[in-house]
Amino acid sequence: MSDDAYNAVTLALGALAAVLGASPIPDPFKAVATAIPAIAVQVIRISQVVKTNKRDARDFALYIGRLTDTTLRPLQDLGRKPINAKMENAVADFHDERTQVALDMGKLTTRSRWRRTAGYGSDPMKIVASKERIRNAVEIIDLIERLGKGDNGAAVKGRDGKERICLEGTRKAALDVIEKWIEDSRHEGKHILWLKAAAGCGKSCVAATVEKRAKASKRLGAAFYFARGKATHNAGVIVELSRQLASRPELQSAIAAAVKEDRNIARRTPAYQYLKLIHDPLLTLGQTTRKLVIIVDAVDECDQQDASDLLEFISRDHERLPAGVKFVITSRIDPHIRCELESPSVSPTVEHLSLDGDSSGVERDIAAYFKERLPALTKRLFIWAATSALLLADPNFRDPEAQLERLLSTPSLTNLDDLYLSALDHAFPPTVAAPVLALLRNVLGALVAARTPINVMTLAALLASRESSPDETAGEIHNKILSWLQAILTIPDGDDKADADPIQFLHQSFVDFLIREDRCDNRFLLRVPEHHEQMAIRCLRCMSNLQRNICHLTDPSKLNSEVEGLSAKIEEYISPALAYACLYWTDHLSEARTDSKESLEVDLLVEHFLKQKILYWIEVLSLLGKTKEAVILLRSADTWVTARASLVTLDPSLSVLLRDARRFLLEFMEPISTSSLHIYSSALAFSPSSTELVASYGHMLDAGPKPLRGRSVKWSNTLWVGSKHSNAVTCLEWSPSGKILASGSHDTTVRLWDKETGTVVGGGPLGGHTCGVLCLAWSPGGKVLASGSADTNLRLWEADTGATFGIPLVGHTDKVSCIAWSPNGKVLASGSSGKTISGMWRTMLPMAGR
């Protein structure tokens, strides 16, 4: 073998060692991985001075060098990705095997009989196997990475960055009950513990303490903390729980396999995600007695329907889950949560634990809290105690001793509302200037009305007047308002990184206080419809800056996904404030009042937007990947325009224009969603000539393709065309709600279509039949779809997930020609071309699925 080959491999290994050494891979894993190339180089150098079997030794050394290079090179791309146990073990074995090879090779400098001495010369399978383990571990890391970087919520951290856990000795009774429930085998029939209490009783602190203890005892599976108003964060609950569960070696492979099977699973429906990423992987554990604790805190702080769905997922099919899997759920005692957890089918699986009613325990715990923080304050809610402590620690209180005395000596301040009012009165006394008080209401009103948490700069951009810049407004907001509210808001520190962090209310009880006339002083009272109206005005003003080709793209023939550096262009030209305005302006319109003077300004802004900016708005949503949402937003806007027209005189063309815009999107959904500039280069060219849309925007048409036979005059009666099937469509069936259309085809698949947008629900076909699908039927509740096929079988599909429910129903000897549900959803009847009605199939659907 030539020296060139040795030199090439040696150089490659040296470069690899340098790259791994500079990589942000964590130690001690990095140290082990970085040492392996040097060992391989040592093997190559030893092989050049062996006494016997020189050719075998050198060939084998070269093989070891190349194998090391190809095996370890993927590690340089891991960066800061979490290194799992499988990866650590595989690399450690790889290191040990290379070390042994070097030792054995060294023996050949004095011995003969290479093959017997080295042990690897004729059988390198052990080394190859270690390479495969590393390759598999890298693949698992990459697959789990597709679930995101992780965000389990801020509830476990306080404003000072410290853990928000129970102080030693507090909430001892509740924590002991939870610990006993997790460990005691007598509770194995109850895999859910519901910790319930009113607002401010410390549920999240208890949850965080349970998490810390479970982590210390290696029983923690996952923990998630809901946060009111954080829609994006809350929507990711299933994916985040599965991402954390994937850190468990016993679940990692099953979760990675689910991601490998559907690489877009992070964008699927929550029901499908729960089934594939949590439920099915948990089943792979078998009936182990090992404990695995999954914590979901503050379920009442997410959308009611989302909360109900999540609790249904957790309680579904509970008897099949391993006995050691335990879910700890915390929430207020809200009706929709009680409905789920106290239903006859679920209640036997739930252990109930209330923090309400133990006044003596609360007094002891608050006394312990203030023994740590402020010893004199007792007999309050935890949130009252915590807010008091923050008020006294606030640097704006120049005389904390006097304030403490006031808190202790004023009986009314034992009430949380009075405490909030005291904090506001201190920061903004009756003598405060009217403009400052108005700014306070604008800031708090915007934060309450905002559909998703917003940061200081986004808030400033929305609130900025025509006379001031967003930077100036941000400074004014921070100095005059936010710096005085540190006891009741989470406020960024002010550096560049913190500017991206949202402003948030420390507790929902403060929001409840601000919006209730019977609780809040009139100076601070927020009338929510007024603030939605103001937010609508600000969004519409912000969108008045929309322009064509906002990101300055140069090639209209390219798809959005093909534009180099598109993310950077979006960040440069579409500010967070503009993105917020484009996504939520109709939400604020629908919640706004309609009888004020400002409403006239809304009318003018809406008219200007619809007549001059609507295509530019569609362009932005295409770039943001939100084209489908535009259809729903336009329907909401049309509803507002119709309601408004009954009160004032509006241009009648506005409703027509909105409906044209919806038809425009439905007709050209695919080209517009994949290429923003196709709005002007093709979609507009094929729009009917007599429409209000073409009348208002026809001048924007690019020189490009034109219809060969001229334009149609008006929209066809076809709302949208679904063209995903690859063979004849044989059957259609509307869901009971009328929102989903199911289609069956000779291509053997079933598809579900969103009536509003014409897009496929769930992203793909429902596959399983081996011959054409001939008939469909929805269960009365619309949760399950039955399909009959020429393959003689019936299948049941969960509408939310697209997953097969149970096993195929087998019994016909000829193709299934018709199916029908009983009114209660318990029985499914089917008929066949073989002239038979197959008995009554008992579907065993869960109550919620019927």
Side-chain angles (χ1 to χ4, degrees):
M1 191 63 63
S2 70
D3 290 339
D4 290 343
Y6 287 116
N7 292 337
V9 174
T10 301
L11 287 172
L13 291 169
L16 176 60
V19 170
L20 292 176
S23 170
I25 301 171
D27 280 327
F29 176 80
K30 181 197 288 190
V32 176
T34 307
I36 296 175
I39 297 172
V41 171
Q42 182 184 2
V43 170
I44 291 173
R45 288 175 177 164
I46 292 174
S47 73
Q48 294 176 306
V49 294
V50 296
K51 301 295 186 182
T52 61
N53 300 95
K54 294 182 179 181
R55 183 177 181 82
D56 284 344
R58 294 181 182 186
D59 286 348
F60 185 69
L62 200 59
Y63 165 76
I64 289 294
R66 288 170 174 163
L67 186 64
T68 300
D69 183 45
T70 57
T71 301
L72 297 187
R73 192 150 303 273
L75 300 189
Q76 65 186 341
D77 298 323
L78 290 182
R80 291 184 172 84
K81 296 178 183 178
I83 304 300
N84 56 44
K86 289 185 178 181
M87 172 63 79
E88 290 180 348
N89 293 336
V91 170
D93 289 346
F94 203 70
H95 175 276
D96 293 345
E97 287 158 10
R98 296 306 173 278
T99 302
Q100 187 61 48
V101 169
L103 292 172
D104 290 341
M105 185 75 75
K107 297 174 184 178
L108 291 179
T109 60
T110 57
R111 292 189 188 182
S112 59
R113 294 176 298 174
W114 149 256
R115 297 182 187 276
R116 194 190 323 165
T117 304
Y120 294 103
S122 60
D123 185 13
M125 294 303 294
K126 190 174 181 181
I127 296 175
V128 173
S130 64
K131 173 188 175 178
E132 283 302 303
R133 289 200 301 276
I134 292 176
R135 187 189 66 79
N136 291 337
V138 169
E139 182 182 34
I140 287 174
I141 289 174
D142 288 339
L143 289 168
I144 300 303
E145 182 78 2
R146 298 183 72 88
L147 296 177
K149 296 182 179 179
D151 174 20
N152 74 335
V156 291
K157 297 290 185 182
R159 284 165 43 95
D160 55 4
K162 296 180 180 179
E163 292 176 307
R164 288 181 57 191
I165 60 173
C166 300
L167 287 175
E168 188 67 32
T170 65
R171 289 301 185 196
K172 186 176 185 303
L175 290 168
D176 287 347
V177 169
I178 296 171
E179 185 71 22
K180 183 178 180 181
W181 170 77
I182 292 172
E183 286 296 336
D184 194 338
S185 60
R186 289 177 298 175
H187 293 285
E188 287 183 353
K190 296 187 174 184
H191 76 292
I192 300 173
L193 183 142
W194 179 22
L195 178 67
K196 51 191 175 182
C201 289
K203 300 182 294 295
S204 293
C205 288
V206 172
T209 305
V210 173
E211 178 191 359
K212 184 176 182 180
R213 292 182 177 184
K215 188 174 183 179
S217 61
K218 301 187 184 306
R219 297 179 302 183
L220 180 64
F224 187 89
Y225 297 80
F226 281 107
R228 192 178 301 275
K230 292 181 67 175
T232 302
H233 161 76
N234 292 345
V237 55
I238 303 299
V239 170
E240 174 58 25
L241 289 174
S242 67
R243 190 193 65 79
Q244 294 181 47
L245 287 170
S247 66
R248 306 280 305 193
E250 64 270 33
L251 291 170
Q252 200 169 72
S253 295
I255 295 173
V259 180
K260 187 174 184 179
E261 180 182 346
D262 183 354
R263 292 178 181 265
N264 292 315
I265 198 167
R267 296 197 291 272
R268 302 301 187 205
T269 63
Y272 179 79
Q273 290 172 347
Y274 184 84
L275 180 72
K276 295 295 185 180
L277 294 174
I278 296 181
H279 179 271
D280 289 354
L282 288 176
L283 291 183
T284 65
L285 297 177
Q287 288 303 324
T288 177
T289 58
R290 186 174 181 179
K291 309 303 180 185
L292 189 71
V293 181
I294 300 172
I295 302 163
V296 184
D297 176 63
V299 175
D300 55 286
E301 297 200 7
C302 73
D303 177 82
Q304 285 193 15
Q305 186 58 53
D306 292 342
S308 297
D309 289 345
L310 175 63
L311 295 175
E312 182 186 346
F313 302 156
I314 291 173
S315 59
R316 182 191 301 169
D317 207 17
H318 59 86
E319 68 278 358
R320 293 180 61 202
L321 290 178
V325 174
K326 306 282 188 173
F327 288 88
V328 177
I329 307 294
T330 80
S331 77
R332 301 186 194 185
I333 313 173
D334 287 351
H336 64 286
I337 296 176
R338 290 187 62 184
C339 182
E340 289 294 335
L341 295 180
E342 294 182 357
S343 66
S345 60
V346 176
S347 183
T349 73
V350 179
E351 183 80 11
H352 295 260
L353 175 61
S354 175
L355 293 182
D356 294 334
D358 182 15
S359 57
S360 60
V362 170
E363 289 182 22
R364 286 194 305 271
D365 290 350
I366 291 181
Y369 177 84
F370 276 103
K371 186 176 182 180
E372 176 82 11
R373 302 295 297 274
L374 294 170
L377 299 181
T378 59
K379 300 183 182 180
R380 313 288 193 265
L381 283 175
F382 272 105
I383 188 62
W384 187 96
T387 303
S388 298
L390 289 170
L391 280 172
L392 298 177
D394 191 330
N396 291 306
F397 286 88
R398 294 182 176 84
D399 189 357
E401 290 81 4
Q403 179 66 8
L404 174 59
E405 181 60 33
R406 180 168 177 267
L407 289 171
L408 293 172
S409 61
T410 307
S412 68
L413 291 185
T414 61
N415 181 284
L416 187 58
D417 288 354
D418 292 328
L419 183 66
Y420 286 141
L421 185 58
S422 175
L424 290 172
D425 264 332
H426 176 85
F428 306 96
T431 56
V432 73
V436 174
L437 194 61
L439 180 61
L440 169 69
R441 285 195 294 265
N442 283 338
V443 168
L444 292 178
L447 294 175
V448 168
R451 285 314 200 210
T452 188
I454 53 179
N455 59 35
V456 174
M457 291 308 299
T458 299
L459 176 64
L462 292 171
L463 295 186
S465 66
R466 295 181 178 88
E467 293 77 30
S468 61
S469 69
D471 285 342
E472 292 170 337
T473 304
E476 187 178 17
I477 289 171
H478 193 278
N479 295 332
K480 293 182 179 180
I481 307 299
L482 299 182
S483 63
W484 292 88
L485 298 176
Q486 296 183 51
I488 41 189
L489 294 178
T490 298
I491 301 168
D493 294 332
D495 56 23
D496 290 340
K497 182 178 183 298
D499 283 344
D501 296 332
I503 309 164
Q504 298 185 71
F505 296 99
L506 280 176
H507 203 270
Q508 179 63 24
S509 58
F510 182 54
V511 177
D512 298 339
F513 161 75
L514 289 172
I515 64 176
R516 290 279 299 272
E517 290 188 35
D518 59 335
R519 294 170 59 183
C520 185
D521 185 275
N522 196 54
R523 291 190 306 129
F524 307 115
L525 178 66
L526 301 180
R527 294 176 172 83
V528 178
E530 294 180 13
H531 291 285
H532 276 295
E533 181 179 54
Q534 288 300 314
M535 287 294 280
I537 289 172
R538 291 162 190 148
C539 288
L540 288 162
R541 285 177 181 169
C542 187
M543 291 191 297
S544 67
N545 296 317
L546 288 170
Q547 59 183 345
R548 179 173 175 166
N549 194 8
I550 191 169
C551 286
H552 302 281
L553 307 183
T554 57
D555 187 351
S557 68
K558 283 189 174 182
L559 303 180
N560 293 343
S561 59
E562 296 172 341
V563 177
E564 186 175 349
L566 181 60
S567 297
K569 291 179 182 291
I570 290 173
E571 186 174 346
E572 180 178 359
Y573 294 112
I574 303 177
S575 68
L578 180 57
Y580 178 92
C582 288
L583 288 169
Y584 299 110
W585 65 280
T586 64
D587 284 5
H588 294 301
L589 271 183
S590 64
E591 298 288 341
R593 61 183 182 177
T594 58
D595 58 351
S596 69
K597 293 180 180 179
E598 285 84 356
S599 297
L600 299 177
E601 182 180 1
V602 176
D603 296 343
L604 295 174
L605 288 168
V606 168
E607 182 172 349
H608 175 265
F609 170 77
L610 294 179
K611 289 189 172 181
Q612 297 190 35
K613 302 290 182 178
I614 198 164
L615 291 190
Y616 304 156
W617 170 73
I618 293 173
E619 178 191 329
V620 168
L621 292 186
S622 171
L623 292 166
L624 295 176
K626 301 291 184 179
T627 314
K628 184 173 73 172
E629 284 82 346
V631 178
I632 299 167
L633 297 179
L634 288 173
R635 178 178 285 280
S636 176
D638 189 24
T639 301
W640 181 87
V641 167
T642 302
R644 210 38 204 144
S646 66
L647 301 174
V648 298
T649 302
L650 285 180
D651 186 338
S653 68
L654 296 184
S655 279
V656 179
L657 184 54
L658 278 165
R659 290 162 196 165
D660 279 348
R662 286 187 72 248
R663 288 302 309 272
F664 178 74
L665 280 166
L666 290 172
E667 192 82 14
F668 306 110
M669 176 65 71
E670 188 165 350
I672 290 175
S673 61
T674 55
S675 177
S676 61
L677 296 186
H678 267 284
I679 294 169
Y680 317 104
S681 63
S682 63
L684 202 52
F686 287 86
S687 299
S689 58
S690 66
T691 60
E692 194 66 37
L693 184 76
V694 171
S696 298
Y697 293 96
H699 63 282
M700 296 183 181
L701 177 63
D702 282 342
K706 301 291 189 297
L708 293 176
R709 299 180 181 178
R711 282 182 175 177
S712 58
V713 176
K714 60 180 182 179
W715 298 110
S716 71
N717 292 328
T718 304
L719 292 178
W720 48 262
V721 177
S723 57
K724 298 293 185 181
H725 284 296
S726 60
N727 208 324
V729 175
T730 56
C731 48
L732 298 169
E733 191 74 21
W734 285 105
S735 66
S737 68
K739 294 180 179 179
I740 303 294
L741 177 66
S743 63
S745 168
H746 276 314
D747 67 6
T748 75
T749 69
V750 175
R751 289 184 183 268
L752 305 179
W753 307 84
D754 186 318
K755 183 193 75 173
E756 281 287 325
T757 65
T759 55
V760 175
V761 176
L766 310 184
H769 287 296
T770 56
C771 295
V773 178
L774 303 180
C775 48
L776 299 166
W778 289 91
S779 66
K783 294 292 185 72
V784 175
L785 176 69
S787 61
S789 167
D791 64 8
T792 74
N793 296 335
L794 291 89
R795 286 181 176 269
L796 303 181
W797 312 90
E798 291 192 11
D800 290 338
T801 67
T804 302
F805 184 88
I807 61 175
L809 305 179
V810 179
H812 287 293
T813 57
D814 207 335
K815 57 188 178 183
V816 180
S817 56
C818 54
I819 45 180
W821 290 90
S822 64
N824 64 6
K826 291 183 177 180
V827 178
L828 180 67
S830 60
S832 114
S833 297
K835 303 179 181 179
T836 63
I837 297 176
S838 175
M840 302 298 167
W841 306 96
R842 292 191 177 276
T843 60
M844 302 299 290
L845 296 185
M847 183 67 67
R850 294 175 187 166

